[in-house]
Amino acid sequence: MLERIDVGEAELRVRHGGSGAPILLIHGHPRTHVTWHRVAPLLADRYRVVCPDLRGYGESSKPETTPDHEPYSKRAMARDLARLMTRLGHDRFTAVGHDRGCYVALRLALDHPERADHLVVADGIPIGEALARCDALFAESWWHWFFLGNPKAGAERVICADPDAWYRTERQREQMDPDAFGDYVRAVHDPATIHAMCEDYRAGLGLDREHDDESRRSGERVACPTLFLWSAYDDMEELYGDPLAIWRDWTTDLTGTRIESGHHMAEEAPEAVADAIRRFLCA
C-alpha cells in the first residue's frame, strides 16, 4: 500500500505491506523509499515492512527550515518516524537505516528506546564520531559533506544546473528496476528536494553532531540488539579500519556483517542484505 500519512510536523509518503513483526526501512541520500524495492519483498513474507520517504526527500513534505537547520536534524526525522509507526499501530519495531538513514535510525533508538526492539545500521558511523575523526582522507573522500553542509557554498544552484551530472544518474540505472529508477530521477530533479537534502547535511554539521556529543557525554548507548552492515567495496574499512569497534562504544549488544557490494547495498546485494536482517532477527 502506498499512501501519505500526516505525522504532525510533516506528511510522509509511505509504502507498507506484508505481515508479521514490523520493520521500518530508512533510506539515505539521495534516495527515496524505493531504494528498498528489492529488499522489501524478501522480508514481507515474514514481516510487516514500512518504507517511508524521510521528510524533505522524495515526495514527503519539505518543512520550512530555520537558521539552526533543526527541521532537518536527525532528531526531527526520528520523531516523524516514531509518530508514523504509532499511526500504523506499531508500538515496537525493528529500525533499519542505510547511509543518512542510519543516523536517523540511531537517533530513533537513542531518543525513543521504548520503541526500537532491534536496530540495523548500514554504511555509516555516528555523525559525531565521523566529524571528530575527520582527517585529510575523509575530507577528500567525503568532501560533499562540507559542500552541501555549508550554506555559503550555494550547493543548490550547482546541483540544480545539471542534476543528472551531479548524481551520475545513468551509472545507477542498471542497479534499479525501471520504476524505482524513475522515482529516484524525479526526486533529484526537484529543486525543493535538493534544498531539503542540503539542509539534512547542514543539520549534520551542527545540531546532529551536538546531539551525538551530548549522548556520548551522558553515556547513552543503544539498549536493543544492534547489527552493523558495511559494504565490502565502499570505504568503511579504509576510513576506520574496524568500524565495528566504533559501534561497540555506542551499543550494548552488537554484531556485524560485511556485505559484498558497493555502497548502495539494498540495490546491489538485496538477497545478502535481507538474509543478514533475517538471521539477526531470528538469533
Side-chain angles (χ1 to χ4, degrees):
M1 177 185 294
L2 181 65
E3 58 181 322
R4 285 167 171 77
I5 298 179
D6 187 342
V7 294
E9 299 173 34
E11 183 181 81
L12 305 184
R13 180 177 66 155
V14 186
R15 194 181 302 270
H16 55 103
S19 60
I23 295 182
L24 174 66
L25 301 181
I26 310 168
H27 66 84
H29 169 265
R31 297 309 206 239
T32 71
H33 78 276
V34 300
T35 194
W36 302 105
H37 70 285
R38 291 174 177 161
V39 171
L42 300 175
L43 298 173
D45 63 337
R46 195 179 304 178
Y47 301 99
R48 182 70 177 177
V49 182
V50 179
C51 302
D53 288 351
L54 291 168
R55 64 161 67 189
Y57 283 79
E59 294 182 17
S60 287
S61 65
K62 282 80 174 161
E64 290 294 320
T65 192
T66 57
D68 65 356
H69 315 291
E70 190 280 336
Y72 291 90
S73 68
K74 308 311 153 292
R75 175 161 285 165
M77 293 179 177
R79 204 162 54 230
D80 287 345
L81 299 185
R83 291 172 179 168
L84 169 65
M85 296 305 275
T86 298
R87 298 282 195 278
L88 294 175
H90 306 307
D91 292 330
R92 290 180 62 79
F93 51 89
T94 295
V96 180
H98 176 259
D99 185 74
R100 305 298 287 185
C102 93
Y103 310 139
V104 181
L106 171 62
R107 189 44 53 192
L108 198 160
L110 291 175
D111 288 357
H112 308 273
E114 75 285 358
R115 307 299 304 277
D117 55 29
H118 291 79
L119 173 67
V120 181
V121 284
D123 274 347
I125 64 169
I127 289 178
E129 292 275 4
L131 291 172
R133 295 165 182 267
C134 180
D135 58 11
L137 177 61
F138 183 92
E140 180 181 0
S141 302
W142 293 89
W143 59 271
H144 69 278
W145 274 38
F146 309 102
F147 178 61
L148 301 179
N150 183 352
K152 296 178 181 178
E156 290 94 337
R157 180 177 59 82
V158 175
I159 297 170
C160 289
D162 193 344
D164 291 314
W166 176 267
Y167 285 112
R168 302 175 184 175
T169 56
E170 282 304 310
R171 294 189 184 185
Q172 298 166 72
R173 182 187 292 272
E174 65 185 27
Q175 296 177 5
M176 303 181 192
D177 295 346
D179 288 346
F181 179 74
D183 189 270
Y184 161 61
V185 170
R186 284 193 300 276
V188 300
H189 277 257
D190 178 3
T193 298
I194 297 300
H195 173 63
M197 291 192 294
C198 290
E199 286 295 301
D200 172 358
Y201 280 83
R202 290 161 189 162
L205 297 183
L207 271 184
D208 292 336
R209 182 178 188 179
E210 291 177 19
H211 295 157
D212 278 6
D213 289 348
E214 289 168 3
S215 292
R216 296 305 292 138
R217 285 194 297 271
S218 65
E220 280 185 271
R221 289 180 178 231
V222 175
C224 63
T226 303
L227 171 66
F228 175 55
L229 304 177
W230 71 99
S231 302
Y233 311 122
D234 199 15
D235 58 2
M236 283 286 104
E237 294 171 359
E238 182 181 10
L239 287 173
Y240 304 114
D242 179 11
L244 271 173
I246 297 172
W247 277 107
R248 285 191 190 99
D249 286 340
W250 288 78
T251 57
T252 55
D253 180 355
L254 179 69
T255 55
T257 299
R258 188 174 190 259
I259 303 294
E260 295 294 319
S261 78
H263 178 63
H264 294 290
M265 60 172 68
E267 296 159 8
E268 298 175 42
E271 294 85 1
V273 171
D275 286 348
I277 293 171
R278 282 194 296 257
R279 287 196 305 271
F280 171 59
L281 295 179
C282 292

